[in-house]
Amino acid sequence: MSRLSDLYKAMETLRKEGVSTDDLEKKVGKLEEEIIKKEILPVVTETIAPALKPVQRELVLVVDYHPDEPVRVSLSRKKNIAELIDAKLLEIDPEVEHKELGPRKNKSGKIAPKTGLCIYRKDKSVLQEHDAATTFTAAIVEAGLVKVRELGLKFCRVNLVSTTKDKKYGHAQREAAPGLYVLTHSSTKDKKKMLDKINEVLKMGWKIEIVK
């Protein structure tokens, strides 16, 4: 457990010091998953196993965990965990052809001030990460990657949630789940517009604000 705590503390320290952690997020996610598999799941298994000994049939237990909320455990009579999941076939997105227009010139010469996003959930909790792109990605994950993908939202002709890395904007696509990439190549204002649409259609109950 201490390894996870140390990992979270290290990332939080970097964020507080203003160090960009964008490049570390994916590596940290993999390390976090490895620690959970090797250190936490065995403890959970040892705890549950004795309680299940009287049971004489196969079953599947689903643990729904959210930080700072009570753990919910659900029982299924199905034998295969895959049967519990509303699985959908995700087609591979075709490559998008982009026109090369050359570098854009800023006529005013002024650089717009950096802004972020803050999302107030209907339960009064707040979703706000250290930058707009990370908050944007986290919000889409919360809304459901597949659900958002089904809305057909695009930016720069690329699916907002795509199954392929775009050859031009791939650097701005974040792998939010294995094989699913969220495009963050947009202004904070455009990110808000897309989140407003997601909020409206999926009835998330968010209040979304642009913050400095």
Side-chain angles (χ1 to χ4, degrees), residues 87-91:
K88 298 181 184 295
L89 180 63
L90 297 179
E91 297 180 357

Side-chain angles (χ1 to χ4, degrees), residues 45-182:
T45 301
E46 290 177 7
T47 304
I48 294 177
L52 292 177
K53 281 187 177 180
V55 181
Q56 297 182 5
R57 66 185 316 282
E58 294 183 9
L59 54 84
V60 173
L61 294 178
V62 180
V63 179
D64 188 10
Y65 172 74
H66 298 275
D68 302 321
E69 292 183 15
V71 174
R72 291 180 292 180
V73 180
S74 303
L75 169 66
S76 172
R77 295 184 179 278
K78 295 181 179 179
K79 298 180 181 180
N80 191 339
I81 190 64
E83 297 176 19
L84 300 175
I85 302 173
D86 184 16
K88 298 181 184 295
L89 180 63
L90 297 179
E91 297 180 357
I92 301 299
D93 293 331
E95 287 190 8
V96 177
E97 293 296 327
H98 298 284
K99 293 181 179 179
E100 297 298 332
L101 301 176
R104 294 183 179 181
K105 294 182 179 180
N106 188 339
K107 294 182 179 179
S108 65
K110 296 181 180 179
I111 298 176
K114 188 176 182 180
T115 55
L117 289 168
C118 184
I119 300 174
Y120 300 91
R121 302 183 181 96
K122 56 186 176 183
D123 65 358
K124 307 302 182 183
S125 61
V126 176
L127 173 59
Q128 183 179 15
E129 301 294 344
H130 61 285
D131 59 36
T134 305
T135 303
F136 181 69
T137 303
I140 290 174
V141 170
E142 186 170 305
L145 289 166
V146 175
K147 289 181 179 179
V148 173
R149 176 176 165 79
E150 290 175 342
L151 298 181
L153 298 176
K154 294 185 178 184
F155 196 83
C156 294
R157 301 176 62 207
V158 178
N159 283 333
L160 180 58
V161 178
S162 178
T163 54
T164 59
K165 273 271 194 179
D166 188 73
K167 59 184 179 182
K168 182 174 182 179
Y169 298 112
H171 66 282
Q173 287 178 298
R174 298 191 178 189
E175 189 172 18
L180 286 174
Y181 305 92
V182 174

Side-chain angles (χ1 to χ4, degrees), residues 24 128 143 150 186 200:
L24 293 174
Q128 183 179 15
E150 290 175 342
S186 54
E200 176 186 356

